[in-house]
Amino acid sequence: MDQRGYEVLGPTIHDSAISYGPIHAIEDLPEGWTSEQGPGSYRLKRRTDGALFGYATGPKSLKNFLHPSEIKLFTAERTNGTFRILSNDGLAPRRAFLGVRACELAAAGVQDRVLIEDRFKDPIYSQRRAGSIVIAVNCSDPSSVCFCTSMGTGPRAKAGYDLALTEVIDGGTHEFLVEVGSETGADLLAGTEYSEASEELRRKSDEVTARAERSIQRQFENAGVAELLKENFDHPRWDDVASRCLACGNCTMVCPTCFCVTVEDMSDVTGDHAERWRKWDSCFALGFSYIHYGSVRLSTKSRYRQWLTHKLSYWHDQFGESGCVGCGRCIAWCPAGIDLTEEVAALRAAAPAEKTNGGGE
Amino acid sequence: MKHKHRIGVFKFASCDGCQLSLLDLEDELVALAGAVDIAFFPEMSSNMRSGPYEIGLVEGSVTTHQDAARIHQIRKQCQNLVAIGACATAGGIQALRNWSDTQQWVNQVYAHPEYIQTLSMSTPISGHVPVDFELRGCPVNKYQLLELVSAALAGRKPNIPTYSVCVECKRRGNICIAVAEGVGCLGPATQAGCGALCPTYSRGCYGCFGPAESASSTILAELLIAQGHPSDEVVRAFRSYNACAWPFRQAAEGKGLT
Ligand code: SF4
Ligand code: SF4
Ligand code: SF4
Ligand code: SF4
Ligand code: SF4
């Protein structure tokens, strides 16, 4: 990969989580580590085997690299009375992502739909996306927050990868089944030492997936949720969740499909140098709904409702699919441990008879 | 010659750290000095020229009768009055006296308490005069201070976000220590501006930028206690540099300790 000019990013132990970092050798992978996750909680744990990919997703996703959290759009300078816009930084590094999970691939598909295939194509995302190689690893150890099976996105990668690996550990053997998903993938594989997979390895790899599927506890009833949310704009559950929500925005930051950004201009003290920056924004920020005279969504209730209804309901109207892939990040990385599957279940269980359009607030 | 904005920097009860952020600008200081006329800044120069000033930067809280009068004089001289730092915007760490008997402390601390004249409360500048802008932090972030001045010169609104520290923390790519290590972190209830400095170095946010726009301090206090952080620790966490900022005050008082 290095020789081909790719920077390899894959699972590394970074502070107290397994997260994308530079990979130069196998030793950089989190051998023998896993994660234990729950609402508002993530802990690294030791495993008894030497699995390299025996964990579920951490807080970062491809979004962190393809849709950068902060990026300078341009610099402008005033010299001798003329105003010039200076050219941007060079091309983004070409990256190979290793250990991408099925839900993340699905999330990248959702972002493609928004940032490439919609009316306005985002050049920053498009260029980074086109220059990436994706080596997926099928999940063997989902965490308690995962619900990809409910969303039909995992735990086995279906498409969108260049190569997909399944790690098979059985007694004394430690093998990988490799599936090729693209020409680039075939080309990559050709440069390595491999042998034709045996029937037995294929069967064992299917077992890994079947076991992973069975171990997923979290259920989410996706059917009809778009309508459910539209019909329950005034449900008392929104007040309930607002009494627990910190409006901190962590859920939107870690969600691999959330794409909202804000654009900020700055000028220096001389007034001769200006920059325009793009940064991740969040519908939990007051300024997010700022229009002339003030913000529309003042209460935490209205902001939580915006987040959930956009993800699960309006996303369908806008982009023809759900904005949620069931990765569980917003559950684990919410400091208050708010769980969207539980919120939706509560809305469903006690949908009130009275239905109104409700006011803003 | 083009008129330069005249700036005055005034000190009240404080540690001088916020004014020092101006001098700490180093790389940008020359440009700043070229763009504005720093007319009154005793910490920097003994050449102190009288007002009026286009921009007055006020550091510190009001803790004496003299200061309570002086701030009115300063207000009259400043077209734009900006309170800088936790002392000026919330009363500072010295506002902890607001929960106790100040005279008793004076008697305990000073050999000659009869020489000490002080108010029983430490109060923010906005408690005395109208303030045009409040720049948070203990100390303020020097780049935010520069942004404030640059925006004033350009006649634009300063870009000072009011959302949570978490937003900055996540943009920076940090692993959340609250979730991954169980560290008590005030980031979700604290206003951004520091660039998530403490969480970046694996320390929980101390709340030195004061309450974020969504005053979720009480929810966070309850959450931290439910997660097993001792309630007196939680009260102390909210009762530091910004103890008297209303949402933090509420969060601590709601815990039954006054
Ligand atoms: S949600 Fe599914 S695909 Fe994603 S990490 Fe969990 S098990 Fe793997
Ligand atoms: S809403 Fe939550 S579970 Fe769904 S994709 Fe976003 S972070 Fe993952
Ligand atoms: S949920 Fe909020 S932050 Fe995420 S895409 Fe929708 S509006 Fe944007
Ligand atoms: S749901 Fe959780 S992560 Fe999202 S804003 Fe509320 S407290 Fe923060
Ligand atoms: S470490 Fe603190 S500031 Fe950073 S995301 Fe977590 S709670 Fe927020």
Side-chain angles (χ1 to χ4, degrees):
Chain A
M1 286 290 189
D2 277 349
Q3 287 160 11
R4 289 167 183 250
Y6 282 91
E7 179 191 4
V8 183
L9 293 172
T12 52
I13 295 197
H14 171 67
D15 293 334
S16 357
I18 299 169
S19 177
Y20 285 103
I23 303 285
H24 304 289
I26 289 194
E27 292 72 55
D28 295 328
L29 297 172
E31 182 181 338
W33 286 96
T34 189
S35 63
E36 213 170 82
Q37 305 186 37
S41 165
Y42 179 105
R43 290 291 180 279
L44 279 177
K45 291 275 161 176
R46 270 281 172 203
R47 301 173 57 92
T48 49
D49 62 12
L52 298 172
F53 298 95
Y55 58 86
T57 51
K60 289 189 191 172
S61 64
L62 294 184
K63 174 174 106 168
N64 292 66
F65 305 95
L66 304 181
H67 186 50
S69 61
E70 300 190 349
I71 189 163
K72 187 162 74 187
L73 296 178
F74 64 75
T75 305
E77 252 167 31
R78 185 166 60 187
T79 32
N80 306 322
T82 53
F83 175 80
R84 291 187 306 148
I85 296 206
L86 307 183
S87 54
N88 287 319
D89 299 340
L91 294 179
R94 300 208 299 168
R95 283 167 168 153
F97 297 98
L98 172 65
V100 180
R101 301 306 193 183
C103 59
E104 264 188 275
L105 279 176
V110 173
Q111 289 222 315
D112 289 349
R113 170 75 185 83
V114 176
L115 298 170
I116 301 182
E117 293 153 22
D118 206 47
R119 269 197 301 163
F120 304 102
K121 184 168 164 169
D122 173 19
I124 296 167
Y125 179 87
S126 311
Q127 186 225 335
R128 282 169 169 68
R129 180 78 158 120
S132 306
I133 289 180
V134 173
I135 304 174
V137 178
N138 293 321
C139 279
S140 55
D141 295 75
S143 85
S144 90
V145 297
C146 297
F147 59 102
C148 56
T149 38
S150 298
M151 305 308 287
T153 56
R156 195 183 184 97
K158 291 187 197 96
Y161 53 79
D162 293 298
L163 291 175
L165 315 180
T166 310
E167 184 171 28
V168 180
I169 301 177
D170 189 19
T173 63
H174 191 170
E175 292 171 288
F176 284 90
L177 178 81
V178 185
E179 288 161 276
V180 176
S182 72
E183 269 177 40
T184 311
D187 193 34
L188 274 176
L189 189 64
T192 63
E193 266 178 55
Y194 67 93
S195 57
E196 196 62 37
S198 64
E199 267 311 313
E200 201 198 347
L201 184 61
R202 286 169 207 260
R203 187 183 49 76
K204 283 184 187 167
S205 127
D206 287 344
E207 268 169 29
V208 168
T209 301
R211 258 203 315 274
E213 264 169 22
R214 280 197 304 274
S215 76
I216 292 178
Q217 297 296 317
R218 193 168 295 273
Q219 300 292 329
F220 179 74
E221 202 185 324
N222 191 32
V225 70
E227 295 71 31
L228 177 81
L229 290 176
K230 279 183 194 152
E231 286 162 12
N232 285 285
F233 195 75
D234 272 344
H235 198 286
R237 184 70 183 189
W238 299 119
D239 289 310
D240 184 277
V241 66
S243 73
R244 290 173 277 129
C245 173
L246 302 159
C248 62
N250 273 302
C251 45
T252 56
M253 299 278 139
V254 295
C255 177
T257 69
C258 272
F259 56 82
C260 287
V261 290
T262 177
V263 173
E264 298 179 354
D265 291 337
M266 55 89 69
S267 57
D268 74 353
V269 70
T270 63
D272 292 333
H273 177 97
E275 290 177 4
R276 173 164 289 183
W277 283 76
R278 191 180 86 176
K279 298 178 177 177
W280 283 356
D281 203 356
S282 167
C283 51
F284 281 93
L286 191 57
F288 184 89
S289 67
Y290 186 90
I291 52 170
H292 59 87
Y293 212 73
S295 292
V296 179
R297 286 188 280 271
L298 294 174
S299 64
T300 298
K301 170 184 168 180
S302 62
R303 288 182 243 163
Y304 187 86
R305 188 170 54 195
Q306 157 66 21
W307 136 260
L308 205 68
T309 16
H310 188 217
K311 288 274 95 161
L312 302 174
S313 181
Y314 302 143
W315 207 293
H316 287 275
D317 305 328
Q318 262 184 303
F319 306 113
E321 59 188 339
S322 175
C324 175
V325 297
C327 72
R329 282 185 183 82
C330 58
I331 305 172
W333 299 95
C334 167
I338 293 172
D339 171 352
L340 82 170
T341 64
E342 205 178 273
E343 296 313 316
V344 171
L347 286 166
R348 211 185 272 284
E354 222 181 298
K355 283 162 194 165
T356 67
N357 302 331
E361 266 310 84
Chain B
M1 205 181 102
K2 195 175 150 227
H3 170 77
K4 284 184 181 174
H5 273 54
R6 301 184 85 230
I7 294 191
V9 184
F10 307 93
K11 176 183 160 62
F12 284 72
S14 61
C15 76
D16 291 25
C18 290
Q19 318 182 30
L20 283 176
S21 315
L22 261 180
L23 296 176
D24 197 29
L25 278 166
E26 292 172 2
D27 296 345
E28 296 84 0
L29 195 58
V30 175
L32 180 67
V36 298
D37 175 10
I38 303 180
F40 185 92
F41 189 7
E43 185 113 4
M44 184 180 86
S45 166
S46 52
N47 178 15
M48 296 176 270
R49 285 166 287 138
S50 55
Y53 311 97
E54 264 100 359
I55 304 173
L57 302 176
V58 181
E59 173 197 273
S61 68
V62 175
T63 57
T64 65
H65 297 96
Q66 290 88 335
D67 278 354
R70 184 163 63 101
I71 188 61
H72 287 275
Q73 295 310 316
I74 292 170
R75 173 69 267 194
K76 282 184 194 144
Q77 294 176 48
C78 299
Q79 201 181 325
N80 294 292
L81 192 74
V82 181
I84 62 166
C87 299
T89 59
I93 191 93
Q94 61 273 27
L96 288 177
R97 69 159 74 171
N98 300 1
W99 283 273
S100 58
D101 180 347
T102 305
Q103 194 51 48
Q104 192 192 335
W105 281 14
V106 170
N107 293 343
Q108 284 168 343
V109 171
Y110 295 97
H112 287 282
E114 65 276 18
Y115 294 155
I116 306 295
Q117 278 191 342
T118 186
L119 296 170
S120 61
M121 304 256 280
S122 167
T123 43
I125 301 303
S126 63
H128 300 264
V129 294
V131 168
D132 297 295
F133 198 86
E134 291 192 323
L135 194 64
R136 305 276 198 79
C138 184
V140 292
N141 175 322
K142 60 181 182 178
Y143 298 110
Q144 283 204 327
L145 192 54
L146 191 65
E147 162 62 11
L148 191 82
V149 175
S150 304
L153 298 184
R156 62 176 173 82
K157 203 174 142 195
N159 180 10
I160 309 286
T162 53
Y163 43 64
S164 72
V165 173
C166 297
V167 172
E168 285 188 320
C169 195
K170 281 287 184 297
R171 282 188 192 146
R172 214 172 154 153
N174 291 341
I175 302 295
C176 174
I177 50 172
V179 166
E181 295 173 24
V183 172
C185 180
L186 298 194
T190 301
Q191 179 169 306
C194 61
L197 192 60
C198 294
T200 304
Y201 294 96
S202 295
R203 295 295 304 258
C205 164
Y206 292 97
C208 74
F209 273 63
E213 57 189 19
S214 312
S216 49
S217 318
T218 301
I219 301 178
L220 182 60
E222 273 155 16
L223 178 70
L224 290 170
I225 291 170
Q227 287 171 343
H229 298 274
S231 64
D232 56 333
E233 262 177 35
V234 173
V235 169
R236 277 200 296 276
F238 280 102
R239 206 167 273 174
S240 63
Y241 320 99
N242 288 285
C244 245
W246 179 242
F248 279 13
R249 202 177 132 183
Q250 243 180 337
E253 282 176 1
K255 303 284 95 38
L257 289 133
T258 50

